[in-house]
Amino acid sequence: MRWLLFLAVIPALAAPRWTVQYFYDDPRAELTIADLVFPAAQRGIAVGWTMERGHKPKPVSLVTSDEGAHWTLNPLMDLPRSLFFLNESTGWMVTEEGLWFTEESGRSWRKIWEQTKPDKKLQPVPPGGLILRVWFLDAQHGYAAGYRKTVLETFDGGHTWKPVADAAKPNGTLVYSAYTQIAFDGPRGLIIGTSLPPRRGAGPMPSWIEPDRATKQRKVPSETLLLETVDGGAHWTASNIPLFGSVDAVRLAGTEGLDLFSYGPSFEWPSEVYKLDLNSSDAVSVFRETNRKVTDIALFAGPQAYLAAVEPTGTLNTVPIPGAVKILTSTNLTDWEEMTVDYRAQATTLCLAGPDASHLWAATDTGMILHLVK
């Protein structure tokens, strides 16, 4: 009988699980992680800021060279927005002040380009510069995307940029439009954004302060802005798609892709994940749950996919209170299984990173980094 009990316990112990690998434990301050990359299993870089009550945020990075067993906290000069790494040593960091470059796996950075400041005559003025993220096809050729339908291209590693003319073609008021996501797999690439004008009757207060008003607001489709290329950006096809919500993540693997939409408080579910057929341009909803707010996705060939989610703490999915972290996985992009996650993991948003499906990490906006243990 004892052998039977022992054998029954083995699968539970052997199942993949997410464990806490790092937690910023300072009673005087909080750490918000804005982005995380693991270009190789040994090397990871996270960027964000620490904040003490009554003080300005202090930009910082976290760097590891031993698969996350140890992390080094370093100061940064600018508030970071996003990261992109071409390999384990070469990477770029978008900040509110500019674009920074590293050849040392994030251990040191140098600024190579100043952010273009918004024209204050146009309202509303977005915070910081226009660029939100970059993607490089090689060490010289890359793209940048951001507010006001901004898409730029560089051929010298990010030192100089020129506009991509096709980015202006999709409909949408300039000041309420932004390209927020870039994804390539080989020469095939997507740059996606949203045009979302302000809503009448939205009220002067955030939705989580006025939940009754927020949940009664009429659902109005936004415009999804789409640029697509099959030749590495030599030619782009621009289009508009009227869809609800805003695009928060896009991932490509071969002829398949996943994209993530987030919704406002009047929706029954806080987010929705679509499977993309890149050959036919078809999109099919594959995940939406009322109690799972997905904030990031990871997709690998196979396919093997992961969804990083948070369990909302109340009836309103936009309440900025950390909830329990939930991570799901699928091998067919249709059926999703919840994985075991350390019960201490709490977040309002989190991001996923890893070089392959067997080496994955998740970072929370509450200063925690989780590791997938198989």
Side-chain angles (χ1 to χ4, degrees), residues 84-119:
F84 180 84
F85 269 69
L86 191 63
N87 50 52
E88 64 179 274
S89 59
T90 305
W92 293 261
M93 174 175 59
V94 178
T95 72
E96 291 192 357
E97 299 297 328
L99 181 66
W100 295 69
F101 178 72
T102 182
E103 293 178 300
E104 299 180 337
S105 304
R107 291 190 295 270
S108 66
W109 297 87
R110 57 185 174 90
K111 185 182 286 188
I112 61 173
W113 183 71
E114 293 285 341
Q115 275 270 29
T116 301
K117 297 300 180 181
D119 184 351

Side-chain angles (χ1 to χ4, degrees), residues 20 33 44 47 94 145 181 193 210 212 245 260 286 311 334 369-370:
V20 175
I33 297 176
V47 292
V94 178
Q181 304 298 324
E210 297 183 309
D212 291 339
L260 165 65
V286 293
E311 185 174 21
T334 300
I369 296 177
L370 307 173

Side-chain angles (χ1 to χ4, degrees), residues 92-370:
W92 293 261
M93 174 175 59
V94 178
T95 72
E96 291 192 357
E97 299 297 328
L99 181 66
W100 295 69
F101 178 72
T102 182
E103 293 178 300
E104 299 180 337
S105 304
R107 291 190 295 270
S108 66
W109 297 87
R110 57 185 174 90
K111 185 182 286 188
I112 61 173
W113 183 71
E114 293 285 341
Q115 275 270 29
T116 301
K117 297 300 180 181
D119 184 351
K120 294 184 178 181
K121 296 179 182 179
L122 298 175
Q123 297 295 329
V125 176
L130 295 175
I131 300 306
L132 296 172
R133 65 181 64 250
V134 297
W135 187 293
F136 280 79
L137 303 177
D138 56 45
Q140 302 301 316
H141 186 199
Y143 291 92
Y147 295 118
R148 296 194 173 139
K149 295 185 183 178
T150 300
V151 177
L152 307 175
E153 185 175 19
T154 182
F155 291 97
D156 59 7
H159 291 84
T160 61
W161 298 82
K162 68 174 184 177
V164 175
D166 289 312
K169 291 181 178 180
N171 299 328
T173 306
L174 188 66
V175 296
Y176 299 115
S177 302
Y179 287 102
T180 60
Q181 304 298 324
I182 311 174
F184 276 85
D185 186 47
R188 186 189 296 271
L190 298 176
I191 300 179
I192 301 182
T194 304
S195 180
L196 186 62
R199 301 178 59 179
R200 293 180 180 178
M205 304 299 288
S207 59
W208 52 273
I209 294 180
E210 297 183 309
D212 291 339
R213 178 194 291 269
T215 56
K216 294 175 183 178
Q217 288 179 1
R218 184 168 63 93
K219 300 178 179 67
V220 179
S222 59
E223 286 287 336
T224 297
L225 314 178
L226 176 63
L227 292 176
E228 184 174 5
T229 182
V230 294
D231 54 14
H235 302 88
W236 291 94
T237 300
S239 60
N240 282 81
I241 307 174
L243 294 171
F244 291 104
S246 58
V247 183
D248 280 358
V250 178
R251 304 289 182 264
L252 306 180
T255 60
E256 294 182 307
L258 289 175
D259 63 0
L260 165 65
F261 280 76
S262 62
Y263 301 124
S266 61
F267 278 73
E268 180 180 357
W269 44 84
S271 60
E272 189 166 11
V273 179
Y274 286 85
K275 179 173 70 172
L276 308 176
D277 184 328
L278 300 178
N279 288 330
S280 65
S281 298
D282 290 339
V284 179
S285 175
V286 293
F287 183 84
R288 63 184 189 190
E289 296 289 345
T290 58
N291 64 344
R292 296 291 181 267
K293 181 179 181 180
V294 181
T295 66
D296 199 11
I297 52 182
L299 176 63
F300 303 95
Q304 179 79 56
Y306 297 85
L307 307 180
V310 174
E311 185 174 21
T313 55
T315 57
L316 199 62
N317 60 58
T318 54
V319 174
I321 300 176
V325 170
K326 305 292 181 180
I327 300 180
L328 303 92
T329 187
S330 174
T331 56
N332 60 12
L333 308 186
T334 300
D335 303 305
W336 300 89
E337 177 185 357
E338 287 211 0
M339 308 179 75
T340 300
V341 179
D342 191 296
Y343 72 94
R344 295 170 294 176
Q346 302 277 320
T348 57
T349 64
L350 64 156
C351 53
L352 293 168
D356 54 63
S358 297
H359 301 89
L360 276 179
W361 287 260
T364 74
D365 61 349
T366 54
M368 185 176 291
I369 296 177
L370 307 173

Side-chain angles (χ1 to χ4, degrees), residues 9-17 373-374:
V9 170
I10 289 178
L13 294 176
R17 64 193 187 279
V373 179
K374 291 193 173 183

